[in-house]
Amino acid sequence: MSFADSKYNPLNYSASQIAKALVSLVTTAIILCGLAAGAFVDGPLAAVGLWAAAGAAALTPIAVFLKGATPVLERWENGDVGDHEADA
Protein backbone atom coordinates (compact mmCIF):
# COMPACT_ATOMS: atom_id res chain seq x y z
CA MET A 1 0.00 0.00 0.00
CA SER A 2 1.47 3.34 -0.99
CA PHE A 3 1.17 6.52 1.02
CA ALA A 4 -1.17 8.03 -1.61
CA ASP A 5 -3.72 5.30 -0.85
CA SER A 6 -3.52 5.45 2.93
CA LYS A 7 -6.06 6.88 5.35
CA TYR A 8 -3.53 9.61 6.27
CA ASN A 9 -3.81 11.10 2.79
CA PRO A 10 -7.55 11.40 2.03
CA LEU A 11 -7.03 13.98 -0.73
CA ASN A 12 -4.51 11.72 -2.53
CA TYR A 13 -1.67 14.22 -2.68
CA SER A 14 1.54 12.87 -4.17
CA ALA A 15 4.67 12.63 -2.04
CA SER A 16 6.31 15.46 -3.95
CA GLN A 17 3.32 17.73 -3.32
CA ILE A 18 3.45 16.95 0.40
CA ALA A 19 7.20 17.58 0.51
CA LYS A 20 6.80 20.93 -1.24
CA ALA A 21 4.06 21.95 1.19
CA LEU A 22 6.22 21.00 4.19
CA VAL A 23 9.19 22.98 2.87
CA SER A 24 6.93 25.98 2.32
CA LEU A 25 5.42 25.73 5.81
CA VAL A 26 8.81 25.43 7.52
CA THR A 27 10.29 28.37 5.66
CA THR A 28 7.18 30.45 6.32
CA ALA A 29 7.63 29.76 10.04
CA ILE A 30 11.30 30.82 9.79
CA ILE A 31 10.31 34.02 8.00
CA LEU A 32 7.66 34.88 10.61
CA CYS A 33 10.04 34.19 13.51
CA GLY A 34 12.73 36.30 11.87
CA LEU A 35 10.35 39.19 11.32
CA ALA A 36 9.09 38.90 14.90
CA ALA A 37 12.67 39.00 16.18
CA GLY A 38 13.29 42.12 14.11
CA ALA A 39 10.16 43.79 15.44
CA PHE A 40 10.25 42.83 19.11
CA VAL A 41 13.96 42.49 19.96
CA ASP A 42 16.79 44.99 20.01
CA GLY A 43 20.43 44.50 19.23
CA PRO A 44 22.17 41.81 17.21
CA LEU A 45 19.29 39.31 17.48
CA ALA A 46 17.06 41.70 15.55
CA ALA A 47 19.57 41.89 12.70
CA VAL A 48 20.02 38.11 12.67
CA GLY A 49 16.24 37.64 12.60
CA LEU A 50 15.84 39.94 9.62
CA TRP A 51 18.69 38.24 7.74
CA ALA A 52 17.17 34.82 8.50
CA ALA A 53 13.79 35.98 7.20
CA ALA A 54 15.36 37.39 4.04
CA GLY A 55 17.40 34.22 3.48
CA ALA A 56 14.40 31.96 3.98
CA ALA A 57 12.29 34.06 1.63
CA ALA A 58 14.98 33.90 -1.05
CA LEU A 59 15.70 30.19 -0.66
CA THR A 60 12.10 28.92 -0.42
CA PRO A 61 11.48 28.72 -4.19
CA ILE A 62 14.80 26.93 -4.65
CA ALA A 63 14.07 24.46 -1.86
CA VAL A 64 10.53 23.76 -3.03
CA PHE A 65 11.55 22.93 -6.58
CA LEU A 66 14.85 21.25 -5.80
CA LYS A 67 15.52 18.76 -8.55
CA GLY A 68 17.98 16.62 -6.59
CA ALA A 69 15.21 15.15 -4.42
CA THR A 70 13.02 14.10 -7.35
CA PRO A 71 14.29 10.49 -7.71
CA VAL A 72 13.96 9.84 -3.99
CA LEU A 73 10.46 11.29 -3.86
CA GLU A 74 9.39 9.32 -6.93
CA ARG A 75 10.67 6.06 -5.43
CA TRP A 76 8.79 6.77 -2.20
CA GLU A 77 5.65 7.83 -4.06
CA ASN A 78 5.61 4.68 -6.21
CA GLY A 79 5.87 2.45 -3.17
CA ASP A 80 9.36 1.13 -3.94
CA VAL A 81 10.49 2.05 -0.43
CA GLY A 82 9.23 -0.09 2.42
CA ASP A 83 7.42 1.40 5.40
CA HIS A 84 10.48 0.99 7.62
CA GLU A 85 12.66 2.84 5.09
CA ALA A 86 10.20 5.68 4.54
CA ASP A 87 10.19 6.48 8.26
CA ALA A 88 13.99 6.77 8.42
Side-chain angles (χ1 to χ4, degrees), residues 10-38:
L11 299 176
N12 294 323
Y13 287 115
S14 68
S16 61
Q17 290 172 322
I18 293 170
K20 290 175 185 180
L22 290 175
V23 167
S24 297
L25 288 173
V26 168
T27 53
T28 299
I30 292 170
I31 291 168
L32 291 176
C33 289
L35 293 175

Side-chain angles (χ1 to χ4, degrees), residues 1-4 14-16 67-86 88:
M1 176 204 277
S2 71
F3 181 74
S14 68
S16 61
K67 296 298 283 181
T70 301
V72 174
L73 291 173
E74 286 176 353
R75 276 188 54 219
W76 184 58
E77 182 177 333
N78 294 331
D80 294 342
V81 178
D83 292 336
H84 65 284
E85 293 178 35

Side-chain angles (χ1 to χ4, degrees), residues 47-62:
V48 170
L50 293 176
W51 277 106
L59 294 176
T60 298
I62 296 168

